[in-house]
Amino acid sequence: MADSKKFLGTEDLKKLLWRLSIPTVTAQLINVLYNIVDRIYIGHIPETGAMALTGLGVCMPIIIIVSAFGNAVGYGGAPRASILLGRNDEKSAEKILGSCFALLLVISAVLTGVLLLANRSLLLAFGASANTIGYSLSYLNIYTLGTVFVQLTLGLNAFITAQGFARTSMLSVLIGAVSNIILDPIFIFTLHMGVAGAAWATILSQCISCIWVLQFLCSRRSYLRIRRENVRLDGSILRPCVKLGTGTFIMQISESVVTICFNSSLLKYGGDIAVGAMTILHSVMQFALLPLQGLGQGAQPIISYNYGAGNKARVQNAFRLLIRISLIYSLTFWALIMLFPGLFCRVFTANEDLVAYAVPALRVYTASLGFFGMQVACQLTFTALSDAKSSVKAAVMRKFILLIPLIYVLPLVFTKNQAMAVYLAEPVADAAAVLYTYELFKRESRIRMDAMDQPGFCAVPAEH
């Protein structure tokens, strides 16, 4: 087993990054389909599609929160497991997997109870109006029932990727997404279930993905397996994992908080159509950002494994390759949005009034997207190097310190079109965040790389 995973430290970097990143990027794009396919179908429901789409958009902050818990556990535990694999310590890596599995089960139970009890109050606080609350409740009540499937699929799939099984990880997402694409039109249109049908299709698809992930991690094909004796809440194991996952959690939770702030501000300055446009803008941004995250996730096992093995040159070269590819992608996607904004908007709605409103908003909202590849590459490399503190700093700076205040300040400055000023907050914050994160990365990575030259270097402290 120890020899079979050494390809992470020996194979040509370009070939290895492509081999691991193509499945993870594909998986991220497919993962977008879970919610975006729902939005596409719902947005095209005759007569009520535009309002139903807005109602679903109000649910997005809650869906993001649910996903954030699963990703935080997975991307807090998985990089540490990769580093331990680099040190040939499979036993400790499996203990991390078992404890994270137990934690995901507990989180699932808590989230399900909270959402079933407080759904209406949360939706009203997050921007639902009298016109959209019915659609929002219809979707969220059903989606909540599948919380455990979401948590286990997202959290445990990270451990599959961390071992270098990127293709298997991609199939985990692909199986669920294809199921969702097939089930959505059946439930929404054939069975006339509307928004509720989209929710049922989503949770059934997540259930199928969850079964696939669990059977793989319990099989002999996996280097790391879920073993009964390791499935327990061990604080000494979970504390550093939770600490490392905090950056990922804040980054995703901030998306939810920001969406709430956007929706409430846009409802005030532009009404339901402005909130509906925000749903489209957020969906397009997901198409842009998730492949970048997929690239980072493909690079993570390479960086983490070689960091654990003390291979400084390979860690540095892997990051340089990652940031170069990330920037090429983000600049290309930005150019396509600037040239064809209407094409992107019409994917989600046939309502021409909504398209006309969303087109200029999309150009403004994504104005700084071109250089965002640098932000994502640095942020995910912090996690790969087990640098929890820097990961949290970058996440907090972008959303909480920069973006949220700007959402409320800019409409007071640009009073002629206050709704558009709300959208402008995103590119202003993103440009500043990219500069901050890159400077932080240069400083902190230099410290980590210098430490690798010291005798007795250990990437993972004794507490694991």
Side-chain angles (χ1 to χ4, degrees), residues 94-211:
E94 284 191 340
K95 287 182 179 180
I96 290 176
L97 172 59
S99 286
C100 286
F101 177 55
L103 181 59
L104 288 165
L105 292 174
V106 173
I107 290 172
S108 299
V110 173
L111 286 176
T112 300
V114 170
L115 292 178
L116 288 175
L117 290 172
N119 49 21
R120 187 181 184 88
S121 299
L122 288 171
L123 290 169
L124 290 171
F126 291 179
S129 68
N131 297 323
T132 60
I133 187 65
Y135 298 108
S136 301
L137 275 172
S138 181
Y139 189 91
L140 185 60
N141 283 340
I142 297 165
Y143 184 88
T144 298
L145 300 177
T147 300
V148 65
F149 305 135
V150 177
Q151 292 299 302
L152 294 179
T153 300
L154 293 176
L156 297 180
N157 205 32
F159 285 89
I160 298 178
T161 305
Q163 299 174 66
F165 294 115
R167 186 174 299 176
T168 303
S169 177
M170 177 193 72
L171 287 174
S172 306
V173 182
L174 179 62
I175 289 168
V178 170
S179 300
N180 196 36
I181 291 169
I182 294 171
L183 292 175
D184 254 337
I186 294 173
F187 283 108
I188 294 172
F189 299 110
T190 305
L191 299 178
H192 306 289
M193 295 175 67
V195 173
W200 279 115
T202 297
I203 67 167
L204 289 173
S205 302
Q206 287 282 14
C207 177
I208 295 169
S209 289
C210 181
I211 292 170

Side-chain angles (χ1 to χ4, degrees), residues 356-371:
Y357 191 96
V359 163
L362 180 60
R363 280 198 170 114
V364 170
Y365 188 75
T366 58
S368 296
L369 177 62
F371 295 100

Side-chain angles (χ1 to χ4, degrees), residues 324-390:
R324 188 160 61 244
I325 297 172
S326 297
L327 280 170
I328 290 171
Y329 169 81
S330 61
L331 284 165
T332 301
F333 203 95
W334 169 81
L336 289 173
I337 291 174
M338 293 301 113
L339 290 171
F340 311 109
L343 180 63
F344 285 94
C345 294
R346 286 187 177 87
V347 170
F348 300 97
T349 183
N351 186 304
E352 287 302 319
D353 290 337
L354 183 54
V355 169
Y357 191 96
V359 163
L362 180 60
R363 280 198 170 114
V364 170
Y365 188 75
T366 58
S368 296
L369 177 62
F371 295 100
F372 208 69
M374 186 182 297
Q375 169 83 15
V376 177
C378 292
Q379 181 99 28
L380 291 174
T381 303
F382 283 139
T383 303
L385 295 175
S386 196
D387 187 352
K389 186 181 293 186
S390 296

Side-chain angles (χ1 to χ4, degrees), residues 261 265 268-269 401-415 418 421-422 424-425 428:
C261 295
S265 259
K268 176 182 178 181
Y269 295 120
I401 295 178
L402 292 170
L403 182 54
I404 291 176
L406 286 170
I407 289 173
Y408 296 103
V409 170
L410 290 184
L412 302 179
V413 177
F414 301 100
T415 55
Q418 292 176 297
V422 175
L424 180 63
V428 173

